[in-house]
Amino acid sequence: MLTYERVSESSNFPSRLRNKLRSETQIVTQKDIGDGPTTEIECPSCSNKLATWTEAQLRSADEGSTIFYCCTQCRQRWKQDN
């Protein structure tokens, strides 16, 4: 006896609320972290005083951005939540 299973996705049933709650995710790559403007901040790994930085919105729009730093000397990466 054959059995069939019907699979549906939420995109098959449009909803104004579902579309409102849908969000896009920003992809942060190694290239984004290593290249960018510089700032004076101490590296937690080697104590170098210069790092490049970039920011990304990782949470909802009513919360602050996350700042990503990359040491110009040892290439250590770390983040700071605002």
Side-chain angles (χ1 to χ4, degrees):
M1 179 173 156
L2 293 175
T3 59
Y4 294 95
E5 182 177 337
R6 183 173 290 201
V7 177
S8 64
E9 295 182 13
S10 61
S11 61
N12 294 337
F13 304 97
S15 163
R16 287 177 43 201
L17 178 60
R18 187 177 297 114
N19 291 337
K20 184 178 179 181
L21 296 176
R22 184 175 295 139
S23 66
E24 300 296 324
T25 303
Q26 178 181 1
I27 298 173
V28 179
T29 63
Q30 175 66 34
K31 180 180 179 287
D32 295 333
I33 296 172
D35 298 331
T38 58
T39 187
E40 291 185 18
I41 188 169
E42 186 173 335
C43 173
S45 179
C46 71
S47 299
N48 182 33
K49 302 279 191 227
L50 190 63
T52 59
W53 63 274
T54 188
E55 65 181 325
Q57 186 72 36
L58 301 180
R59 296 172 304 277
S60 62
D62 63 339
E63 297 185 35
S65 298
T66 301
I67 308 293
F68 292 93
Y69 295 101
C70 182
C71 178
T72 57
Q73 185 172 330
C74 71
R75 307 300 284 174
Q76 170 73 27
R77 296 177 302 168
W78 71 98
K79 69 178 184 168
Q80 174 182 343
D81 295 321
N82 289 342

